[in-house]
Amino acid sequence: MNRVYNNEAILMGCIVHLLKNEMMDIAKLYLYTTLLVDIQLYSFIKKSDSFNQLCTLIKNQGLISRKLDSFGPYFLNATVILKQNKFIMISDGNLRLGSSAFPEGNLRSRRLDRIMKISEHLLKLCSGISTKELYHNLNIQL
């Protein structure tokens, strides 16, 4: 499978997994998926014990804006595919799971399995923090 389709498929699985926990606005979901899918940012999540520590690691690298730009087209394509197939619904800028059932269990992707496991840690690190605060603390313009 070529890299473009692989990243879109990984992002689709990641989006559905994150939305199982809660409805989320598009900007926050975009940031979370980028943090989880990019290998360097993923490693920062693993190393972090707090949101402040995660912010420090990310800001010291200064690459977050470029990473967001890089994964943006994949995120948009993944979102469109999920929406067209009724896996997700979009209303008032928020995404939630739709009426169709997304495949469960082992999707035969070690990368996606690792992302799903660390996503719970990311959600704990960022719990109670608004999208605006997330972007502000990471020096990203919303």
Side-chain angles (χ1 to χ4, degrees):
M1 181 181 284
N2 104 11
R3 185 174 162 250
V4 171
Y5 298 121
N6 188 35
N7 280 330
E8 287 175 2
I10 294 292
L11 277 166
M12 284 189 276
C14 187
I15 289 168
V16 169
H17 182 72
L18 288 169
L19 292 177
K20 284 182 181 179
N21 296 316
E22 63 183 86
M23 182 170 53
M24 211 175 284
D25 65 75
I26 294 170
K28 184 182 277 189
L29 188 61
Y30 175 39
L31 177 60
Y32 284 177
T33 55
T34 301
L35 291 171
L36 291 166
V37 172
D38 181 79
I39 192 71
Q40 187 177 28
L41 298 174
Y42 169 92
S43 70
F44 293 160
I45 296 167
K46 280 181 80 169
K47 293 176 189 175
S48 299
D49 294 322
S50 69
F51 176 69
N52 289 334
Q53 185 180 12
L54 177 61
C55 286
T56 301
L57 288 169
I58 291 171
K59 285 192 291 189
N60 286 345
Q61 288 297 313
L63 300 173
I64 188 69
S65 293
R66 280 193 280 157
K67 304 261 184 186
L68 286 166
D69 289 345
S70 173
F71 283 102
Y74 302 132
F75 177 80
L76 289 175
N77 288 343
T79 304
V80 167
I81 292 167
L82 290 169
K83 172 73 173 115
Q84 287 175 338
N85 290 290
K86 298 182 180 157
F87 291 120
I88 62 171
M89 305 298 287
I90 303 171
S91 60
D92 298 328
N94 290 311
L95 290 119
R96 63 180 171 82
L97 288 180
S99 57
S100 297
F102 196 77
E104 293 277 337
N106 183 358
L107 299 177
R108 295 184 180 214
S109 170
R110 290 186 305 248
R111 182 177 172 207
L112 185 57
D113 286 342
R114 286 191 305 268
I115 289 168
M116 288 179 170
K117 287 175 187 166
I118 201 71
S119 69
E120 304 305 321
H121 182 59
L122 175 64
L123 292 174
K124 286 178 191 171
L125 290 175
C126 299
S127 67
I129 300 171
S130 71
T131 304
K132 187 175 181 178
E133 289 176 285
L134 285 168
Y135 276 73
H136 175 73
N137 289 333
L138 292 169
N139 293 332
I140 304 167
Q141 285 193 295
L142 189 56

